[in-house]
Amino acid sequence: MGGPDPHQSDPVDGLCPDALPDGLLVAGPDRRVVVFNRAAVRLTGVPRADALGRDFAEVLPLFDADGRDWWACLDPYGGLTTRTRHPERSLHLADGPELLVTASYTRAEGGGVTAFTVALRDAVQRARQERNRADLVSTVAHELRSPLTSVKGFTATLLAKWHRFNDDQKRVMLETVNADADRVTRLITELLDVSRIEAGRLEMRRQVVDVIEEVRKVVKGRVVAGEPAARFEVEVLGELPEMWLDPDKIDQIIGNLVENAVRHGAGTVTIVVEPDSRKQGAVVSVRDEGEGIPPEAVPRVFRQFWRGHGQPRGGTGLGLYIVKGLVEAHGGAITVRRAPGGGAEFRFSLPAGAPDFA
């Protein structure tokens, strides 16, 4: 049994190559590999012992999207002596995975290559993010088309034939236009929320918020909109501490969860508000008496575009994703489980927080 490989244990710029999260290959002036870290082994499937001492192009045969040998095109050791690095690009191994590859040169005074460094990253996560962005654009575009078509149609009809309609007909058309305009506004707001959550740019404007009053306000709004008052029940199980929260975002959290329970649940929608027994703060639970969420679906509930089996296709599927982002922006957490009445229970906690100027 041999000892540890000296090339792998020596630190590079004060850091052991095996500690790096990305794959690292370093070739010396003779093109032979002198560093091949653990992440490179994982990404390429090439054992370290098979890589060290071999020509780097044999160890890492990379091809572009057109099937061209990338090293033959690049000619790292025989190309321009002024090159210092290559920007990241997507390449793939022969019959292997796709990788995101960057490279840099260390040169002698005369321009010769003394070390050629290649960094490797898995392209799967990048591809997943790009698919998510494409799905988001596609979903929002699809959802915007219907209300905008309605707005355009009714507006054009009213402008062309205004005198042919009586007041009641005009009112119905204008109310439809107004409702569809509200829907477009909601969709754009959702899109902006998703963008800010992913970028970590949610702005919090904290002030003292009465969480119990916020819950009652949301319920009152549902009743005014036509829901029977008997469908909602608010339970308060203790006195809450002073809560410094963003009132608009709290209203959005509670409103989305209540709407979710109304649209996809059944029976009475119960909102329970109680002090957090584990730490200073509040806990809010929104329960329904519907079919609930299957256990196998629970890990996916807060992902973008999630819709339960059998649920109508309307909507973007972003509501619960946004709720999770808004709760976490407050420093809280949200979970979903089976409610005592058999339906779904969304339960989120909020720390008491502090004013922005504290």
Side-chain angles (χ1 to χ4, degrees):
M1 298 292 288
D5 190 329
H7 296 299
Q8 299 304 124
S9 58
D10 288 342
V12 176
D13 291 335
L15 180 68
C16 175
D18 277 342
L20 298 173
D22 296 338
L24 179 68
L25 176 152
V26 179
D30 57 356
R31 298 174 56 103
R32 297 189 180 278
V33 176
V34 295
V35 173
F36 198 72
N37 72 348
R38 184 180 294 116
V41 172
R42 173 177 54 81
L43 290 169
T44 64
V46 178
R48 181 178 292 167
D50 293 347
L52 295 175
R54 290 176 57 201
D55 187 286
F56 77 94
E58 295 177 2
V59 175
L60 199 64
L62 292 172
F63 299 85
D64 64 14
D66 296 322
R68 294 174 296 191
D69 183 335
W70 184 240
W71 301 130
C73 297
L74 201 63
D75 191 13
Y77 283 77
L80 294 171
T81 59
T82 56
R83 292 183 300 188
T84 58
R85 62 180 300 274
H86 296 285
E88 183 177 81
R89 66 175 295 153
S90 177
L91 301 169
H92 63 86
L93 295 169
D95 300 322
E98 182 182 2
L99 299 171
L100 298 174
V101 182
T102 54
S104 65
Y105 299 85
T106 303
R107 297 185 181 275
E109 287 186 8
V113 177
T114 58
F116 182 56
T117 303
V118 181
L120 310 169
R121 290 198 298 140
D122 191 350
V124 172
Q125 182 63 25
R126 169 79 64 84
R128 184 180 297 117
Q129 291 174 346
E130 290 176 352
R131 284 197 303 272
N132 284 345
R133 292 191 185 99
D135 288 344
L136 179 60
V137 171
S138 175
T139 300
V140 172
H142 176 76
E143 292 295 327
L144 284 172
R145 180 180 299 171
S146 176
L148 288 177
T149 299
S150 171
V151 168
K152 175 61 177 174
F154 280 117
T155 303
T157 300
L158 285 169
L159 287 172
K161 303 176 181 179
W162 178 266
H163 297 294
R164 298 187 186 184
F165 299 108
N166 60 39
D167 289 346
D168 289 339
Q169 290 171 324
K170 292 174 183 176
R171 176 176 291 278
V172 169
M173 291 185 183
L174 289 172
E175 286 175 346
T176 303
V177 168
N178 185 61
D180 284 333
D182 287 342
R183 182 179 170 191
V184 170
T185 301
R186 287 196 301 272
L187 288 170
I188 293 173
T189 300
E190 285 187 349
L191 185 60
L192 290 172
D193 284 339
V194 169
S195 174
R196 289 169 182 144
I197 288 169
E198 290 188 337
R201 296 200 313 266
L202 276 174
E203 293 184 4
M204 306 297 292
R205 296 180 173 87
R206 294 181 185 269
Q207 61 189 65
V208 176
V209 172
D210 187 335
V211 177
I212 299 168
E213 186 57 35
E214 287 294 319
V215 168
R216 289 176 174 149
K217 183 175 73 174
V218 169
V219 169
K220 184 178 179 180
R222 301 294 309 192
V223 173
V224 170
E227 295 286 343
R231 185 162 188 197
F232 302 98
E233 183 175 336
V234 178
E235 296 182 8
V236 179
L237 304 182
E239 186 175 349
L240 302 183
E242 184 176 79
M243 304 291 295
W244 284 82
L245 310 168
D246 186 314
D248 292 335
K249 293 179 175 60
I250 294 303
D251 185 69
Q252 191 175 353
I253 292 167
I254 298 169
N256 278 1
L257 291 178
V258 170
E259 181 177 359
N260 183 75
V262 170
R263 290 182 61 189
H264 306 302
T268 302
V269 176
T270 304
I271 305 101
V272 181
V273 185
E274 57 190 316
D276 191 337
S277 59
R278 294 175 298 174
K279 54 185 178 181
Q280 191 80 350
V283 176
V284 180
S285 304
V286 180
R287 307 167 180 167
D288 64 70
E289 298 175 341
E291 296 181 358
I293 297 171
E296 65 273 13
V298 168
R300 303 192 300 274
V301 165
F302 297 106
R303 293 181 187 173
Q304 291 183 20
F305 315 119
W306 181 84
R307 296 182 181 92
H309 178 70
Q311 290 184 1
R313 297 301 295 174
T316 58
L318 296 172
L320 293 176
Y321 172 82
I322 292 170
V323 164
K324 182 174 185 289
L326 296 180
V327 169
E328 291 178 348
H330 281 88
I334 184 168
T335 58
V336 60
R337 62 185 183 184
R338 190 170 183 82
E345 177 183 26
F346 288 87
R347 178 182 177 89
F348 66 92
S349 61
L350 297 168
D356 292 333
F357 51 81

